[in-house]
Amino acid sequence: MDFKKFLPWIIVAVIVIGIYSWSAGIYNKAVSYDQDIKESWGNVQTSYQRRNDLIGNLVNTVKGAADFEKSTLTAVIEARAKATAVTVDPTNITPEQLTAFNKAQSGVSSSLSRLLVSVEKYPDLKSNENFLKLQDELASTENQILTARTRFNEAVKPYNNNINTFPRNILAGFYGLKEKPYFEAAVGAEKPVEVKF
């Protein structure tokens, strides 16, 4: 048997298997990173859901103060409703979806801040044990949200690096893999907070 006769076929087979393994490895790595992103996104949503649940309890507690500003409560309720209406598909997160989500959540944060500042005028409410407990839980939840958003960005980075580096970016286009957006700070967050006494 003449081994040299089959040598070109063996070389071609080794090259084809090598290219297949290499491209499959890139795709499989991207799938693994994408699963990490989905898990991180689920944690982000869980943190925001916890805040939304607490807001409902907080609003009901504040409603007990008979002369409390109704417009402030209405703003919180409306912002919460808008935020829960914005949905993001973790399998195909786009910068536009993430911006809309971020904007809706910023609206909740803003109206919630106004609510907590206006509470200062109500000594009975400020001393209400349920209100104080909810306020502490909200502060803790805001920290959880920050952590979840940070971890989401940390999960996006290796995925984006994997599909954007050469020559992987060529195969990423072939597989239809697209870059995922990062969470960014809300518009105006770079400005210092104005404190009035």
Side-chain angles (χ1 to χ4, degrees), residues 14-175:
V14 167
I15 290 171
V16 168
I17 290 170
I19 291 173
Y20 172 78
S21 298
W22 174 72
S23 65
I26 290 171
Y27 180 77
N28 291 339
K29 184 63 100 172
V31 168
S32 175
Y33 287 143
D34 192 49
Q35 291 301 313
D36 292 342
I37 291 171
K38 288 176 188 172
E39 178 187 14
S40 295
W41 181 252
N43 293 337
V44 167
Q45 287 183 308
T46 300
S47 297
Y48 279 116
Q49 182 60 52
R50 175 173 164 69
R51 179 174 75 173
N52 286 337
D53 293 345
L54 288 171
I55 288 172
N57 293 335
L58 186 72
V59 166
N60 288 335
T61 303
V62 171
K63 277 183 183 176
D67 57 343
F68 194 82
E69 295 100 344
K70 301 298 180 206
S71 62
T72 307
L73 284 175
T74 303
V76 171
I77 293 167
E78 287 174 358
R80 179 182 172 219
K82 285 179 188 173
T84 55
V86 176
T87 57
V88 175
D89 176 10
T91 59
N92 190 25
I93 296 175
T94 64
E96 295 79 20
Q97 286 177 331
L98 202 55
T99 300
F101 182 84
N102 209 15
K103 184 177 179 183
Q105 296 300 336
S106 293
V108 173
S109 296
S110 176
S111 62
L112 191 56
S113 294
R114 285 193 300 277
L115 172 70
L116 294 175
V117 165
S118 61
V119 163
E120 295 298 316
K121 301 175 195 171
Y122 299 89
D124 291 346
L125 193 53
K126 279 176 35 179
S127 63
N128 180 314
E129 194 174 311
N130 285 341
F131 179 79
L132 294 174
K133 184 179 176 197
L134 286 168
Q135 205 172 10
D136 285 345
E137 286 188 44
L138 270 171
S140 170
T141 301
E142 290 298 329
N143 287 333
Q144 289 175 4
I145 289 170
L146 175 62
T147 300
R149 286 172 56 132
T150 301
R151 289 189 178 147
F152 175 81
N153 283 349
E154 289 170 354
V156 167
K157 183 179 179 181
Y159 173 87
N160 286 346
N161 285 342
N162 185 57
I163 67 165
N164 286 327
T165 54
F166 181 80
R168 292 180 168 140
N169 58 346
I170 296 167
L171 285 174
F174 174 76
Y175 288 129

